[in-house]
Amino acid sequence: MVVAVIAGLGGLISTASAGQVAPPPLVLSPNLAEPWVLQLQPNRQQVIHRQTTAPRQARQQTWQQPARVQQPARVQQASVGNPAPQPRRQIDPIYLPTIVDYHGPHKPGTVVIDTEQKFLFLVQKDGTARRYGVGVGKPGFEWAGTHKVTRKSEWPDWRPPAEMRKRRPDLPTFMPGGPENPLGARALYLGSTLYRIHGSNQPWTIGQAVSSGCIRMRNEDVTDLYDRVPVGATVHVL
């Protein structure tokens, strides 16, 4: 459940060859019409790495909240007759993907997830990081630690663990991958834990503490992250 996004979607879905079943179509988040290129701000935001005294023993570092910058104007509704979106299904533009300066100790290719500020950072070679908004564990399901990406999956199946089904008897024991699957378009599995960084069919929950410990991303964003992060990459959850 944890780390790190979807943007360049070109070439993501290919035509199925004979005897194979084409993957389900990628479901884009509602009310987010801006293309990826508009989400990358021309003026990079400053991210300063600093040491802090954390409430959890495993938390050793954090990121300073970057100052809000001018966000691109939203595309108007194509049809005047379309009803206005409900507030609960909107996402704060600060959680859309962008590029920020990085001044931390982690090498390029490392994923750092700040669960307090609800951001995932992918460290790059040029002194910057790709920043994505995420949803994190709700109260009682917070955690921190360092793991490797041990597996990646496209349109993953979902098998709710026994602990979750005990809390939610209405959950199925198995759900095949697809647009209705809570794991979304992609999943990156962390170590031997039950946690994953995965997509979501509820993109309006990004920026909130809503999961059972997994790290949620918009389907667009987790697809982008999936293509950039290999198996074996290090993930730090703060």
Side-chain angles (χ1 to χ4, degrees), residues 116-134:
E116 290 186 359
Q117 297 188 38
K118 315 298 189 300
F119 288 128
L120 180 152
F121 300 87
L122 174 59
V123 181
Q124 302 188 120
K125 295 180 180 180
D126 60 353
T128 67
R130 305 180 79 87
R131 191 188 74 184
Y132 309 87
V134 297

Side-chain angles (χ1 to χ4, degrees), residues 46-66:
Q46 188 78 4
V47 174
I48 302 176
H49 184 277
R50 60 181 175 82
Q51 299 286 57
T52 183
T53 301
R56 292 195 296 273
Q57 196 170 36
R59 186 183 181 92
Q60 298 179 346
Q61 53 192 328
T62 188
W63 299 63
Q64 185 179 41
Q65 174 70 41

Side-chain angles (χ1 to χ4, degrees), residues 14-37:
S14 60
T15 303
S17 59
Q20 294 182 336
V21 179
L26 179 63
V27 177
L28 301 182
S29 302
N31 308 322
L32 297 173
E34 301 91 340
W36 169 264
V37 67

Side-chain angles (χ1 to χ4, degrees), residues 38-178:
L38 291 180
Q39 295 172 14
L40 301 180
Q41 301 302 317
N43 296 320
R44 294 174 178 167
Q45 304 174 46
Q46 188 78 4
V47 174
I48 302 176
H49 184 277
R50 60 181 175 82
Q51 299 286 57
T52 183
T53 301
R56 292 195 296 273
Q57 196 170 36
R59 186 183 181 92
Q60 298 179 346
Q61 53 192 328
T62 188
W63 299 63
Q64 185 179 41
Q65 174 70 41
R68 187 185 293 270
V69 299
Q70 183 69 33
Q71 298 293 334
R74 289 189 174 278
V75 178
Q76 294 182 351
Q77 295 288 337
S79 173
V80 176
N82 286 345
Q86 297 299 317
R88 73 180 185 88
R89 291 181 179 268
Q90 292 179 334
I91 180 174
D92 189 324
I94 197 173
Y95 295 116
L96 298 178
T98 191
I99 302 294
V100 296
D101 290 326
Y102 176 69
H103 302 291
H106 301 298
K107 65 181 182 180
T110 302
V111 174
V112 181
I113 301 174
D114 188 327
T115 57
E116 290 186 359
Q117 297 188 38
K118 315 298 189 300
F119 288 128
L120 180 152
F121 300 87
L122 174 59
V123 181
Q124 302 188 120
K125 295 180 180 180
D126 60 353
T128 67
R130 305 180 79 87
R131 191 188 74 184
Y132 309 87
V134 297
V136 301
K138 56 190 173 184
F141 293 87
E142 308 97 332
W143 66 281
T146 298
H147 294 284
K148 298 285 188 180
V149 175
T150 50
R151 184 165 73 90
K152 303 192 329 180
S153 179
E154 299 184 11
W155 293 104
D157 297 332
W158 184 42
R159 294 174 175 82
E163 297 87 348
M164 182 179 291
R165 285 190 287 109
K166 185 176 181 180
R167 298 191 304 269
R168 292 277 310 278
D170 58 308
L171 293 177
T173 57
F174 172 80
M175 181 180 289

